[in-house]
Amino acid sequence: MSEKNILKIKIAFGAVLFCFLTNCTNKDKHEEGRKLAKIHCASCHVFPEPSILPRRVWGEKILPNMGLKMGMSHGPIYSYRNSETQDSLSPTMSQEDWDNIVHYYLNQSKNSNPQNLIQDQEKSTLFEAHLFLQDSLSVLSMTSYSDEGENLFLGNASTSELLTVDMDGHILNNQKLDSPPVKVAFKDSLDYVLTIGSMNPSDEAKGKLKIGNNVIDGLRRPVNFLIYDINSDGYDDVFVCNYGNNIGDFSLFENLKNGTYSKKLIQPLSGAIKVQMANMDDDDENEIVVLFAQEHESIMIWDYENNEFSGKKVVQYQPAFGSVDFELKDMDGDGLKDIIIGNGDNSDLSTVLKNFHGVRVLLNKGDKEFTESYFFPIHGVSKVVVEDFDLDGDNDILTVSNFGDFTNPKFKSVQLLLNEGGLKFIPKSINGLPDFRWQTIDVNDFDNDGDLDFFLGAFNLNIGPEESSTSGNQNISWARLENTLH
């Protein structure tokens, strides 16, 4: 064999050996990055697989943000270019470990996410849509119907006003508040009005709950509350979801019987977004059920006994899940309350359409154990309501989407999932209702004819994914959907 051929063989062997060693090195590096991510990233939330988000989002948004929170000054493809920020960092790991985590997510993620295949839907004539248009009411923070006055309450997020309107859209009263109202309730001649403090992400304690002439203030971006006499002393206490941003909590405000309330911290986590009370097992007592959003993405259930709360986390999802709402209803007829959860929040770091957004039914197996038994993908779900809308004896699901794919004419921002039994649902759109950035909802039999109607509030801000932006119908304010069964 000639020296020239021998040289060729050596070069070829060297190239193969180099590729083999490089692949092995990358494989080892990726495996090391995965192990480190399961230690460090999963210490705060469920471990996120790289496949949940596109590579660009990991590199430009998620990893730089997480790096700052973990005290890391840079990664292999980015730097913060801010010496003051770098000086104040407290690293939680070595730079080599952080680089391995970054390499893992960037190399194991894809350029784009798989998208939902949106099907054509039959239009339901179950509801007749009545639209109300007003330029100054395009961003509503609240939609709530009151049986007492037979009026609808609207929260104007732009002007921090609480409006009272009649069914014809006439404004009956206009109350100026410190910040946008997000919930009102009426009990025992008392008005409960919750104001959020800041609609934008914030940890400032500027939220308030006004109870008659009394006020609970210093709340961190509160979004929901529940009135209940937890200690059976004859005075109503209040559970409050302090959503916050990085700081928040779920707390009980115990009524001290003199117009003041004492705070009892139950769970010091940001993202508490909704609280309900129901009997979730086979005992005779109600439990407190709370949904946490943000990176926690979990549902917790608390028992109360001897003035103490004992809680259990019954479900948790990865941090891009986007939890927004839940309902507690028996979906399979076994007498136990199941969890119906909607996920679709899409206004933070990873503002891309996600194929895991939608509505899920978690069946109650007893002893506070739940199994996901149904999933219907819907982009950008913001609210979910479960009721027997068609009066056939089983629970239907109504979903509202604010972060939908409005570039696709098949996408419907309000979908009615009609229950056919056996956890089979037929999705239908609402005839006469435009596809728009709806956000708030309330369900009530406003005309007292024995079937359920509902109200929608607009939240027309072009935030979130590019596909969620809308250009038409800018002056839509709210809609009344009248059930046509009776």
Side-chain angles (χ1 to χ4, degrees):
M1 183 179 296
S2 67
E3 292 185 6
K4 187 175 182 180
N5 288 335
I6 293 174
L7 180 61
K8 287 182 179 180
I9 293 174
K10 288 182 178 180
I11 292 173
F13 178 77
V16 171
L17 180 62
F18 174 78
C19 291
F20 175 78
L21 292 175
T22 301
N23 288 335
C24 288
T25 301
N26 284 337
K27 184 177 180 181
D28 291 343
K29 196 168 188 176
H30 295 159
E31 183 59 33
E32 181 65 19
R34 181 179 178 85
K35 290 178 181 178
L36 289 166
K38 284 195 168 186
I39 294 171
H40 296 282
C41 303
S43 64
C44 296
H45 49 69
V46 167
F47 167 72
E49 294 286 351
S51 59
I52 66 172
L53 295 171
R55 181 176 293 116
R56 173 184 59 82
V57 176
W58 283 114
E60 295 178 3
K61 298 291 185 179
I62 304 300
L63 291 170
N65 183 271
M66 292 301 101
L68 281 174
K69 288 188 176 183
M70 302 173 86
M72 307 312 301
S73 61
H74 63 84
I77 66 164
Y78 59 81
S79 64
Y80 300 126
R81 307 178 191 276
N82 186 329
S83 59
E84 292 183 3
T85 299
Q86 294 183 17
D87 291 341
S88 63
L89 293 174
S90 299
T92 58
M93 68 185 82
S94 69
Q95 188 63 49
E96 181 182 359
D97 285 352
W98 175 242
D99 289 351
N100 283 334
I101 291 175
V102 171
H103 274 294
Y104 166 67
Y105 279 101
L106 295 183
N107 284 278
Q108 296 301 303
S109 53
K110 305 296 184 181
N111 287 330
S112 61
N113 274 11
Q115 297 300 309
N116 295 333
L117 179 62
I118 302 176
Q119 305 283 355
D120 282 320
Q121 291 184 4
E122 178 184 344
K123 289 186 179 295
S124 171
T125 58
L126 183 60
F127 296 96
E128 181 180 357
H130 303 269
L131 299 179
F132 298 87
L133 288 68
Q134 190 169 337
D135 291 335
S136 62
L137 282 175
S138 62
V139 183
L140 296 185
S141 56
M142 184 196 73
T143 308
S144 180
Y145 181 79
S146 169
D147 286 319
E148 291 186 9
E150 298 183 344
N151 294 315
L152 183 67
F153 291 89
L154 303 175
N156 190 339
S158 302
T159 60
S160 299
E161 293 174 308
L162 178 63
L163 306 179
T164 308
V165 302
D166 63 19
M167 293 301 97
D168 295 320
H170 300 125
I171 297 177
L172 305 177
N173 189 42
N174 186 339
Q175 182 182 358
K176 180 69 176 177
L177 301 172
D178 295 334
S179 63
V182 289
K183 183 173 181 177
V184 297
F186 307 92
K187 187 179 182 188
D188 299 335
S189 73
L190 288 176
D191 298 349
Y192 292 73
V193 180
L194 183 66
T195 52
I196 193 170
S198 173
M199 293 292 292
N200 295 320
S202 173
D203 288 321
E204 292 184 309
K206 293 184 176 181
K208 295 180 181 179
L209 176 59
K210 186 175 181 293
I211 307 173
N213 295 322
N214 302 312
V215 176
I216 299 174
D217 57 13
L219 303 177
R220 294 186 189 274
R221 209 169 166 224
V223 293
N224 195 245
F225 65 88
L226 173 71
I227 307 165
Y228 189 77
D229 181 9
I230 189 67
N231 51 18
S232 302
D233 64 354
Y235 290 81
D236 281 327
D237 312 296
V238 187
F239 292 93
V240 176
C241 293
N242 286 298
Y243 191 96
N245 183 30
N246 296 307
I247 305 171
D249 61 67
F250 172 64
S251 293
L252 169 68
F253 287 83
E254 191 172 355
N255 196 328
L256 299 183
K257 309 173 188 178
N258 59 359
T260 63
Y261 294 79
S262 175
K263 180 177 179 178
K264 183 172 185 176
L265 182 65
I266 300 176
Q267 184 72 1
L269 287 179
S270 63
I273 194 170
K274 186 173 182 178
V275 53
Q276 286 196 358
M277 183 166 285
N279 189 348
M280 299 301 293
D281 47 32
D282 56 1
D283 63 13
D284 296 325
E285 302 296 330
N286 285 332
E287 285 78 41
I288 302 104
V289 186
V290 179
L291 172 63
F292 289 89
Q294 299 289 74
E295 69 271 25
H296 309 295
E297 301 295 337
S298 60
I299 290 181
M300 293 193 67
I301 298 179
W302 278 275
D303 289 290
Y304 179 80
E305 189 175 2
N306 298 324
N307 202 33
E308 295 294 332
F309 293 94
S310 57
K312 177 181 180 181
K313 185 185 297 179
V314 298
V315 64
Q316 187 169 22
Y317 296 96
Q318 46 86 357
F321 188 78
S323 301
V324 286
D325 201 6
F326 76 97
E327 291 274 67
L328 304 173
K329 299 283 185 178
D330 182 4
M331 301 300 288
D332 57 358
D334 64 354
L336 293 173
K337 290 283 197 309
D338 306 304
I339 298 174
I340 304 90
I341 183 170
N343 66 299
D345 184 23
N346 213 345
S347 61
D348 295 323
L349 295 174
S350 57
T351 53
V352 293
L353 296 177
K354 302 176 175 72
N355 64 338
F356 48 81
H357 277 176
V359 60
R360 290 168 167 83
V361 175
L362 312 179
L363 291 183
N364 192 336
K365 298 302 182 180
D367 196 29
K368 301 185 182 67
E369 298 291 335
F370 296 84
T371 300
E372 182 177 316
S373 302
Y374 174 80
F375 170 62
F376 186 75
I378 308 174
H379 287 307
V381 171
S382 55
K383 294 293 179 184
V384 57
V385 177
V386 182
E387 296 286 355
D388 184 7
F389 289 106
D390 57 3
L391 300 181
D392 66 350
D394 50 29
N395 288 312
D396 310 301
I397 303 174
L398 182 68
T399 70
V400 180
S401 294
N402 188 18
F403 299 102
D405 183 4
F406 295 111
T407 63
N408 189 330
K410 295 182 179 180
F411 177 80
K412 303 303 174 185
S413 55
V414 177
Q415 300 188 43
L416 178 62
L417 307 183
L418 291 174
N419 195 339
E420 295 293 298
L423 291 183
K424 295 180 180 179
F425 297 86
I426 298 178
K428 293 191 175 185
S429 60
I430 307 298
N431 188 44
L433 184 66
D435 291 307
F436 187 63
R437 301 199 73 154
W438 303 108
Q439 172 74 15
T440 58
I441 187 171
D442 194 25
V443 173
N444 202 297
D445 181 11
F446 85 92
D447 50 9
N448 297 311
D449 64 354
D451 53 33
L452 288 171
D453 317 291
F454 68 97
F455 304 89
L456 290 173
F459 201 85
N460 192 24
L461 291 178
N462 283 334
I463 55 177
E466 294 179 0
E467 297 88 344
S468 299
S469 297
T470 56
S471 56
N473 302 316
Q474 296 296 312
N475 59 345
I476 291 179
S477 300
W478 60 283
R480 184 182 80 239
L481 284 298
E482 186 175 350
N483 198 315
T484 60
L485 279 178
H486 298 134

